[in-house]
Amino acid sequence: MLTRIDHIGIACFDLDKTVEFYRATYGFEVYHSEVNEEQGVREAMLKINDTGDGGASYLQLLEPTREDSTVAKWLAKNGEGVHHIAFGTADVDGDAADIKAKGVRVLYEEPRIGSMGSRITFLHPKDCGGVLTELVTSADPGAAH
Ligand code: CMX
Ligand code: CO
């Protein structure tokens, strides 16, 4: 069951500059940052609020680490902006299987590693009304992140 907005993914050319925009404009601070080589991104997670399921909702700011990454490709075509949305679930495997059975393409056979050790998969934007959609199970679903 999808129980929250886990994050909104925003693609940018310059992560430090974008982090500073969110800090100066809204007062949001970086909760966590990391490089995910498999996804080809350097990212910052800004925690916006805790949620009723014991999790939280974030903004995920994404800067590409290499030219052939999905985010670099997207930025070249679209410029900066909202890249994807992510729903949180305690069971990414089960929810991905249920959604796949409804005819939506799930991009990974098995969930991969996302922010903060989470397990993630993606649904094809062409099957989701043009919205790249991620499903996320936190490393510790009972914890605040
Ligand atoms: N949102 C909406 N539509 C998108 C999209 C996005 N983020 N990315 C691509 N598309 C659309 C394109 O506009 C294109 O549409 P048209 O054919 O109408 O022009 C179509 O999908 C194919 O796009 P493409 O540029 O040829 O890109 P690919 O097919 O090579 O890749 C996708 C698209 C979704 C399979 C790829 O981006 C992917 O695997 N995404 C999942 C991984 C990811 O995004 N990782 C970065 C974030 C990591 C994280 O969140 O932790
Ligand atoms: Co994401």
Side-chain angles (χ1 to χ4, degrees):
M1 187 174 48
L2 308 178
T3 53
R4 67 176 182 278
I5 301 287
D6 186 274
H7 62 268
I8 297 167
I10 296 169
C12 63
F13 292 109
D14 183 334
L15 185 62
D16 298 337
K17 201 172 142 188
T18 306
V19 162
E20 177 53 21
F21 170 80
Y22 280 92
R23 194 200 61 73
T25 309
Y26 308 113
F28 298 146
E29 301 287 347
V30 175
Y31 181 78
H32 174 87
S33 58
E34 69 184 84
V35 172
N36 186 326
E37 289 296 355
E38 185 179 34
Q39 294 293 336
V41 294
R42 187 163 82 92
E43 61 171 78
M45 297 294 274
L46 315 183
K47 186 161 145 182
I48 308 303
N49 58 275
D50 292 313
T51 54
D53 61 358
S57 295
Y58 304 87
L59 290 184
Q60 180 185 42
L61 307 181
L62 300 159
E63 178 193 85
T65 55
R66 48 173 207 270
E67 283 306 308
D68 64 347
S69 66
T70 55
V71 171
K73 195 173 167 185
W74 188 88
L75 277 166
K77 189 172 167 187
N78 303 284
E80 296 183 314
V82 175
H83 178 260
H84 65 274
I85 62 169
F87 297 121
T89 166
D91 179 16
V92 63
D93 303 83
D95 284 326
D98 289 349
I99 291 167
K100 187 177 177 180
K102 293 175 187 173
V104 173
R105 278 170 287 172
V106 175
L107 297 183
Y108 304 151
E109 277 295 320
E110 291 291 331
R112 297 182 184 173
I113 300 301
S115 309
M116 299 178 280
S118 58
R119 297 177 69 244
I120 62 171
T121 196
F122 289 88
L123 312 178
H124 201 289
K126 290 290 170 192
D127 297 345
C128 301
V131 180
L132 176 60
T133 304
E134 180 181 351
L135 309 180
V136 184
T137 294
S138 302
D140 178 2
H145 59 84

